[in-house]
Each structure stands twice: as structure tokens, then as C-alpha cells.
Amino acid sequence: MKILVAEDDSVTRELLRALLVGWGYDVVTTNDGRIALDIIATADGPTLALLDWMMPTMDGAAVCRAVRALDGPYRYLILITSKNLKSEVVEGLDAGADDYLTKPVILPELQARLRAARRILDLQTELLVTQERLRVEATHDALTGLWNRRALVDSLERETARARRDQRPVSVLLGDLDRFKNINDTFGHGGGDAVLKDVSRKLLTSVRPYDMVARYGGEELAVMLPDSDAASAAIVAERIRQRVRCEPVQLDGCQIPVTISVGMATCAEGCCSVDALIKRADEALYAAKRKGRDRVERGADPGCPTLAPPSGRSAVGDPRQQSQ
Amino acid sequence: MGGKLQVHAASINLEELFNRVDNDQALLVTLIRLYRDDAPHMLDAIDRACQDRDGDALLRAAHTMKGATAVFATAPAVACAQAMEQAAHDLDWPRAVALQDAVRAEIASLMDNLAALSAQCAP
């Protein structure tokens, strides 16, 4: 664990440094309060600090106050002082210190206070890990690891607002695996899950890093394409469709042919609501299914530029693929 | 470990000192060297602050001197530095000036004892 020792007296500083190194700490030292604050504020700075009360440029109490105003992880601060007046202890704790030690430092006391610090910091880490796990669980699909529907809708709300402000387009693709029930019936639910995971990976690797891929429903996947007009979105949709069709899913030595139907909609200049955008993509998806599957269809989008189909593939699916 | 060493000064509590450094003689030697390097500068800072009647500077210098000295488990020198710190806190210049010689004498005595102790600890 990284720990900062900020102490202007070189004897006490070296004593603490040597002891802490001997106890397995990764020790950083300084003799200056302002430098101590800079060290704590760095991205991978120590989360545990021993701060002398009286230091040049900034005293320990001022460092505590400044640290408490910082963002980032919780830092456990122990003030070291030869001041033993209760009023000064109260002042130090009020300034944001978690604990205090009086000089000269007594080893068992120092060790006990460091153990207390680690308990708090470990608890803090555990809380943050749990918080992050819950955040991921609340926003991601457990099977595919993709964003979930709620997260997609939340992001679309933000993205359409931004698109409206910047007068930029935003597009949505809704994809549905064709005849997925047949896959489940033939290969079991494990096979179905494997197909979903494989296709999800293909979608993720077919879009830009800042596009958002989500599992919208059972076998329905969605992609949000910020700053993409209908023509750009159609190219992405067609790339996904082709890739899914041309790369069968490998499962236990079997090749599972999969196709996907895609409905797309574009909100030019952020001029529509999220509900309307999704509804149009859904209608387009329905049209793609109705017209034979394994194809891309664009939803009604009054006022948006006319879709130019990508070269080599029209908006009408290849009938040979429809049988898959 | 500390019990085997002889220091002709009742002012240093060897047991306490060795506990403080976790019975690490090499560390003790390092701390003594640091103290003997720094103490003259701290004494100069105290003298300068007294001469300039600079209360903040005297408070800082006396405080640092007290903290460093206290590591060596020596009550008289710590008491002297603490008295100087209190004088600085009270801005009691007659008392501060009167304490200057006493502080120098105590620190000089401590440094001699520490030098002897360091010589015994050195391999």
C-alpha cells in the first residue's frame, strides 16, 4: 500500500520512512505541505498519509482541508503533531483528519492506527467495488456483457439532446436474429446463448469505439450511432448484416448459420424524440422481417436525406439467404 | 540490543530509544547522522529568529528542534526545546533570549552522547 509521510523534520521523516518500508509499505516522503497535497492529488497518489502539523508552505490541517475538497478516492489522513492540546486535536479532526498521533511516535500505537486506517480504506474499496458491480449489473446484460435497454435509452436521451443542440444527426439500428427459435430448438438454449454472445461480439467489433451496442430484448440487439446520418448508418447496418451472415457461429465443432434483420432510423439534427426514433427503427425491423429477413430496412424519416443503399447490396434481401 | 550499549549519559533512555527504532541499530546510526547534520542549522535558525524577533520563525525552528530531539528519548534537551517553543508562542523575547545558551548546551551535550552511541552501534 502506498503511504505518504509529510514531515519537515528529517529525523522523524526518516524514522517513519524506514519503519513503514520495513512493514511493507510503499513510502513517498516530502518535507513540504503543498508538495504533500500535490502528491495526494495525483491520479495514483497514496490514499493513506501521515501529515506533520507544522510544515513549510502549508500546515497539516490546511492539507487536510484541501484534500477533503478533492474528488477521487477517500484518503485516510493521520495528523502527526507534538501538540497535545485537546483543542488542537479537535481543530485537526475538524480540518478533515481521520486520526492523529503525537510525537515522538510510539511504534505499537503507530501500527494500531495504521491497522485502523487500512480497515477503513479496505471497507471503502469494498464499497466502491460493490457500487461499480451494481452499476454494471444495472446497466449491462449479464449474458452478452452489452449495455442493456435501459442504459441505451438513457444514452439516447442524452445523445438526441446533444444532437439537437449541435444540429447533428443520430441514428439507431435495431437488429433481430432471424429464426432464433429454430436455433434454440436445434442446439438448445446453451447454443442460443452462444449465438447471442458471438453476434454481440461481432456487433461490438463492427462499430466505432464511441458507438453503443446494447441487448434490447431477447434476441434483439441495438446500436446507437452518434453523429451518423442515414447513409453512414446504412453502411454500418449492412456491414453487420454481411458479417453475421458470412461468419457462422462455431459451437462444439458445428457451424451455426445465422442471419440478422436490421431496421434503422435516423434523427436528423436531433429533431425527434427517443420514442419516435426507436419506433421508426422497430417499424423498419418489422418491414425487414416481412420482406424476407436477412436485410436492412430504413424507417420512415420525413425530412431526412434519402438513403443511398451501400454498393453491392440493395435494401432488398437476397432470396437465397432468406431460407437460412 | 540496547542494553549492551554503554552511554555515559543518564539523559538518554536507551530502552525507549531502541524501542522507537524497532531495535534497528543501522537505522539509529542513520538518524543520529541526520540529527548531527541538521541540529546546527536548527540552532542557527533559533538564534536568527531571536535576533530578528521573528516569532513565527522561532516557533517553527523550536518546534522542529523539539520534534527531532524527542526521537532520541532525551528529556532534558526536549524540555529545553519545548521551553523555547513556548516562549516563541508567547512572544516572550526576554525568556527566549535567556534560553538560547541553555538550548545550545543541551543539544551539544546530546550530540556528543549520540556520537558515542553511534560509534558503538557502527559495525
Side-chain angles (χ1 to χ4, degrees), chain A residues 26-53:
Chain A
D26 176 11
V27 185
V28 188
T29 63
T30 179
N31 63 352
D32 183 283
R34 198 167 294 282
I35 293 173
L37 177 61
D38 289 344
I39 292 170
I40 292 170
T42 53
D44 62 342
T47 52
L48 177 54
L50 299 173
L51 304 169
D52 187 25
W53 184 292

Side-chain angles (χ1 to χ4, degrees), chain A residues 26-96:
Chain A
D26 176 11
V27 185
V28 188
T29 63
T30 179
N31 63 352
D32 183 283
R34 198 167 294 282
I35 293 173
L37 177 61
D38 289 344
I39 292 170
I40 292 170
T42 53
D44 62 342
T47 52
L48 177 54
L50 299 173
L51 304 169
D52 187 25
W53 184 292
M54 200 177 277
M55 283 186 288
T57 71
M58 201 171 187
D59 66 31
V63 174
C64 288
R65 276 190 289 274
V67 168
R68 291 300 171 233
L70 294 173
D71 290 331
Y74 191 78
R75 285 91 167 185
Y76 196 95
L77 307 175
I78 302 175
L79 268 178
I80 302 183
T81 177
S82 48
K83 300 181 174 200
N84 204 11
L85 293 173
K86 291 298 174 198
S87 61
E88 286 165 342
V89 169
V90 170
E91 184 188 340
L93 295 173
D94 277 348

Side-chain angles (χ1 to χ4, degrees), chain A residues 105-144:
Chain A
V105 173
I106 298 164
L107 261 58
E109 184 185 2
L110 174 60
Q111 287 170 311
R113 294 196 189 270
L114 290 173
R115 280 195 297 273
R118 293 190 75 144
R119 280 198 299 274
I120 298 295
L121 289 171
D122 287 349
L123 189 61
Q124 168 76 5
T125 304
E126 202 176 304
L127 279 171
L128 288 175
V129 168
T130 303
Q131 188 182 39
E132 176 59 14
R133 184 173 55 76
L134 290 173
R135 188 192 67 77
V136 169
E137 284 177 6
T139 53
H140 286 74
D141 171 58
L143 175 68
T144 60

Side-chain angles (χ1 to χ4, degrees), chain A residues 143-144 146 174-184 189 191-203 214-222 240-241 243-245 247 249 256-263 285 288-289 292-295 321-322 324:
Chain A
L143 175 68
T144 60
L146 297 178
L174 271 186
D176 189 275
L177 299 186
D178 296 328
R179 307 189 195 286
F180 188 69
K181 186 176 180 304
N182 290 351
I183 293 173
N184 272 333
H189 286 289
D193 287 352
V195 166
L196 269 169
K197 284 159 81 170
D198 185 276
V199 173
S200 298
R201 184 183 55 77
K202 284 172 181 152
L203 260 67
R215 186 175 180 191
Y216 196 71
E219 64 266 31
E220 257 188 313
L221 304 170
I240 289 170
R241 187 197 67 78
R243 195 162 167 209
V244 170
R245 182 168 69 90
E247 297 176 22
V249 177
I256 306 176
V258 182
T259 61
I260 189 169
S261 299
V262 182
L285 173 60
K289 292 282 187 187
R293 302 183 177 88
D294 185 25
R295 54 188 293 125
Q321 307 306 324
Q322 294 169 18
Q324 290 184 351

